[in-house]
């Protein structure tokens, strides 16, 4: 069974743009590479032809995977989200109770995670631990080196 993924409008647009790029630019390039290799003579001993066919197969596999992700993508309707709880698209300010450090993360779908931009996946250990929590709650999160406790200081939406 296919896995349903949730995306922001921006994330879904990026995914669709990637699919369009693969289909309209990369696919014709692969076909041209096969045609160029075919023109070079005997196909039984033509390594360039074999490599071009293999590259085309890998490209078609990638296109099929992206098409499946797009087909199972669901757009997140922000108007339906509970603003008092940490959910997808929430900006959550947390305080590490062990060292007092404060940090703000935006909870996003797995495919949109970008730690440099402070966007963490809801499927990551910290993201999963924060989901459903409210301001004032303490999230006890199992991480590889033990259990971390984070106090939820603030939950906002952009």
């Amino acid at each position: 069974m296919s896995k349903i993924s949730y995306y922001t409008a921006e994330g879904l647009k990026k995914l669709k743009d990637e699919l369009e790029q693969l289909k309209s630019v990369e696919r014709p390039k692969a076909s041209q590479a096969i045609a160029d290799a075919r023109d070079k003579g005997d196909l039984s001993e033509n390594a360039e032809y074999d490599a071009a066919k293999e590259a085309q197969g890998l490209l078609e596999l990638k296109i099929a995977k992206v098409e499946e992700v797009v087909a199972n993508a669901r757009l997140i309707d922000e108007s339906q989200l509970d603003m008092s709880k940490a959910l997808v698209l929430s900006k959550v300010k947390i305080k590490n109770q062990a060292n007092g450090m404060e940090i703000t993360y935006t909870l996003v779908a797995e495919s949109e995670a970008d730690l440099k931009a402070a966007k963490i996946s809801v499927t990551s250990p910290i993201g999963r631990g924060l989901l459903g929590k409210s301001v004032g709650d303490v999230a006890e999160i199992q991480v590889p080196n033990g259990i971390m406790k984070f106090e939820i200081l603030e939950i906002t939406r952009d």
Side-chain angles (χ1 to χ4, degrees):
M1 187 173 146
S2 298
K3 182 180 169 190
I4 291 178
S5 300
Y6 294 92
Y7 290 88
T8 60
E10 175 188 345
L12 189 57
K13 183 183 180 327
K14 275 187 198 174
L15 197 62
K16 287 180 177 179
D17 289 347
E18 177 187 359
L19 182 59
E20 185 59 33
Q21 168 77 12
L22 290 171
K23 285 181 166 182
S24 63
V25 177
E26 300 300 325
R27 187 181 269 165
K29 278 185 191 175
S31 295
Q32 187 59 46
I34 291 170
D36 291 347
R38 189 181 300 129
D39 292 342
K40 293 185 178 172
D42 184 13
L43 297 181
S44 64
E45 296 179 14
N46 189 337
E48 192 176 332
Y49 176 78
D50 292 339
K53 287 293 283 182
E54 186 174 332
Q56 182 188 36
L58 292 173
L59 176 65
E60 291 301 327
L61 182 65
K62 185 173 182 177
I63 288 172
K65 283 184 178 181
V66 174
E67 282 178 334
E68 182 180 353
V69 171
V70 169
N72 293 308
R74 301 293 181 265
L75 196 59
I76 299 168
D77 182 1
E78 294 182 60
S79 67
Q80 301 297 313
L81 299 178
D82 181 353
M83 300 302 221
S84 67
K85 295 189 182 300
L87 302 170
V88 176
L89 300 182
S90 295
K91 199 172 232 182
V92 183
K93 184 175 184 180
I94 57 175
K95 180 179 181 181
N96 185 331
Q97 291 195 321
N99 62 16
M101 191 172 130
E102 293 181 9
I103 190 162
T104 301
Y105 288 120
T106 302
L107 300 177
V108 296
E110 189 171 353
S111 61
E112 296 181 59
D114 179 4
L115 199 52
K116 289 179 185 170
K119 293 181 176 182
I120 61 170
S121 166
V122 292
T123 60
S124 69
I126 292 176
R128 263 196 322 268
L130 295 176
L131 280 178
K133 299 285 192 262
S134 300
V135 173
D137 288 352
V138 174
E140 292 187 13
I141 301 169
Q142 180 69 45
V143 293
N145 63 346
I147 293 178
M148 296 182 78
K149 293 182 181 181
F150 294 103
E151 180 182 353
I152 296 15
L153 301 177
E154 184 180 31
I155 299 172
T156 58
R157 298 258 193 283
D158 288 339

